[in-house]
Amino acid sequence: PRLNQKVPGQEKPKQPVTKEDEVKTVTVAPSAMFFSYNSQLGPPYHIILDTNFINFSIQNKLDPMKASMDCLYAKCTIYITDCVMGELEKLGQKYRVALRIARDPRFERLPCTHKGIYADDCICDRVAQSRCYIVATCDRDLKRRIPVCPSCTLPIASTASSACRRPSAHRDSRSKPEKLQPNPLPG
């Protein structure tokens, strides 16, 4: 018989798969995450606004551009996704001021390629793909979903000013959330 032919009766018995033989999938850390420090996060900061952050900034009479610059002490580029615009348009006449603020020419638009207008999924996907964004939100559910992606901080609108939360990579899932310390606003 030839070498490549199988001879009946000489087949090797299959061995059971052990834990050592199992294939392990390890997520590859991005090259910008050197020792869990994100080198892509730096001035000018890229901030994605969420729908409820725009509403809270209206309630607290904060300009999102000025508040983010006061919070981060650097130049900021603010982005609004098509999903956020869709959510604001869907909310109707009651939120027309928020829609007018979102259409500000200082804010850049990020086009969405997915179906639907659910902004939380869109924002989480964007932050997971490119870790250069800071997410501005007051939504508890979105804050819980973002820590899957380490390296992004969350500016949060409080009653008088904006405050920043530390990157989520340093938090333990069982620990209590950190208290927010508002940055003092000048004069």
Side-chain angles (χ1 to χ4, degrees):
R2 295 182 155 226
L3 292 175
N4 292 339
Q5 281 183 327
K6 293 183 179 178
V7 178
Q10 289 186 348
E11 295 177 5
K12 294 181 181 179
K14 291 185 179 180
Q15 298 176 350
V17 179
T18 61
K19 286 188 177 182
E20 296 172 2
D21 296 337
E22 290 179 6
V23 177
K24 295 179 182 178
T25 57
V26 178
T27 56
V28 179
S31 60
M33 296 291 291
F34 185 70
F35 289 124
S36 295
Y37 172 76
N38 190 355
S39 60
Q40 290 177 342
L41 268 182
Y45 293 106
H46 304 283
I47 301 172
I48 296 180
L49 291 186
D50 189 27
T51 309
N52 53 30
F53 188 82
I54 297 171
N55 292 330
F56 273 102
S57 66
I58 292 169
Q59 288 174 359
N60 296 319
K61 298 178 182 174
L62 295 171
D63 176 31
M65 184 70 88
K66 186 177 182 307
S68 62
M69 286 186 175
D70 289 343
C71 182
L72 297 170
Y73 299 117
K75 185 179 184 320
C76 300
T77 307
I78 295 182
Y79 297 96
I80 294 181
T81 63
D82 289 341
C83 295
V84 172
M85 292 297 287
E87 280 185 359
L88 287 172
E89 289 168 358
K90 200 174 184 181
L91 289 173
Q93 281 290 343
K94 188 176 178 183
Y95 295 93
R96 66 182 179 274
V97 177
L99 188 60
R100 188 177 298 156
I101 287 175
R103 288 184 178 152
D104 189 345
R106 297 178 296 172
F107 303 157
E108 294 187 27
R109 290 284 295 270
L110 291 175
C112 297
T113 56
H114 57 83
K115 294 181 179 179
I117 58 166
Y118 188 60
D120 292 357
D121 290 339
C122 178
I123 290 172
C124 285
D125 291 343
R126 281 196 189 272
V127 171
Q129 287 173 2
S130 57
R131 296 169 187 251
C132 65
Y133 293 114
I134 295 173
V135 179
T137 186
C138 300
D139 187 7
R140 288 182 185 163
D141 294 331
L142 183 58
K143 282 188 233 175
R144 286 187 193 115
R145 288 176 61 185
I146 294 241
V148 174
C149 323
S151 80
C152 56
T153 59
L154 298 165
I156 299 165
S158 61
T159 52
S161 63
S162 292
C164 263
R165 189 179 87 179
R166 291 187 181 274
S168 55
H170 302 292
R171 290 177 25 151
D172 184 12
S173 62
R174 289 167 278 152
S175 66
K176 293 181 180 177
E178 301 171 16
K179 289 190 174 181
L180 298 175
Q181 298 296 325
N183 291 335
L185 292 175

